[in-house]
């Protein structure tokens, strides 16, 4: 479980959440895109959302923990404009914490409706982009997730590895297609890690239900993988990480 700083009094405009004292300057802004599978029965669907990746000092020492950002509709439109204009970028840009304006909550980043986004969004350190890689090897770690109720995809770790990497002879998969489309210049490979269930695949069990929100489930998986691998730099040890969840995670999967 995450160990966070003690809660502060409720944030005035976000009564459903509590404020926490941040140890870092801010969090890395993420623009998350969703694809809706057909016939899911989901009544409402938002195809984009802004999240923020917390500094490990604000997340119990664990890297890769995220929280949704509570932007107003006007602020969300302004952030999308900044992305389109290149004034903000995925992960390098930082949402700066400031008391009464942008604050770290218990389950979200709370932004006051009057907050000035021009002053609140700052440039961060550029990160190497996997999108700019045109040849060589691309590492992937596949995580098969079992939730607290025992819900897990009905496929073995070896079968899942075959679906993604063709390790059992599956002729058409992401690995084969990436190789073909790059004229054999790019290769997706499964990272061999300690305790793996199959090449490039590990199993973890989380202490929450798949019925929770995306960020709650995602953070539980990230915490479990970090503990299992014993790495404080996960998920940045890999080019790609794939979390495989049971279909009961219908809130987002």
């Amino acid at each position: 479980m995450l160990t966070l700083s003690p809660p502060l009094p409720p944030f005035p405009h976000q009564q459903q959440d509590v404020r926490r004292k941040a140890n870092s300057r801010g969090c890395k802004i993420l623009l998350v895109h969703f694809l809706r599978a057909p016939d899911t029965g989901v009544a409402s669907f938002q195809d984009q959302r802004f999240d923020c990746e917390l500094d490990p000092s604000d997340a119990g020492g664990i890297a890769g923990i995220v929280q949704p950002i509570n932007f107003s509709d006007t602020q969300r439109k302004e952030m999308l404009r900044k992305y389109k204009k290149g004034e903000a970028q995925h992960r390098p840009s930082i949402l700066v914490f400031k008391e009464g304006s942008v604050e770290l909550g218990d389950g979200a980043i709370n932004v006051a409706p009057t907050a000035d986004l021009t002053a609140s969004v700052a440039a961060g350190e550029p990160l190497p982009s996997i999108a700019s890689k045109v040849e060589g090897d691309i590492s992937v770690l596949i995580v098969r997730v079992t939730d607290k109720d025992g819900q897990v995809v009905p496929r073995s770790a070896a079968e899942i590895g075959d679906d993604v990497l063709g390790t059992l002879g599956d002729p058409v998969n992401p690995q084969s297609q990436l190789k073909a489309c790059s004229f054999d210049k790019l290769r997706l490979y499964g990272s061999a890690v300690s305790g793996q269930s199959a090449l490039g695949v590990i199993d973890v069990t989380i202490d929450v239900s798949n019925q929770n929100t995306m960020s709650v489930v995602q953070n539980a998986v990230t915490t479990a993988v970090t503990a299992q691998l014993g790495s404080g730099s996960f998920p940045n040890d890999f080019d790609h990480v794939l979390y495989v969840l049971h279909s009961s995670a219908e809130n987002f999967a």
Side-chain angles (χ1 to χ4, degrees), residues 3-4 21 31 99 107 124 127 132 134 154 176 187 210:
T3 302
L4 302 174
K21 180 177 175 58
L31 177 55
E99 186 175 355
L127 297 172
S132 64
V134 296
S176 68
R187 186 178 75 92
N210 285 335

Side-chain angles (χ1 to χ4, degrees), residues 30-35 45-49 80 83 90 214:
L30 311 175
L31 177 55
V32 184
H33 296 266
F34 298 92
L35 294 177
F45 182 76
Q46 183 178 346
D47 63 351
Q48 292 178 327
R49 191 181 77 187
L80 288 172
Y83 265 70
H90 182 84
M214 184 188 76

Side-chain angles (χ1 to χ4, degrees), residues 234-250:
F234 175 82
N236 298 320
D237 300 325
F238 310 95
D239 292 322
H240 290 289
V241 179
L242 174 64
Y243 291 171
V244 182
L245 298 157
H246 185 265
S247 59
S248 58
E250 58 187 16

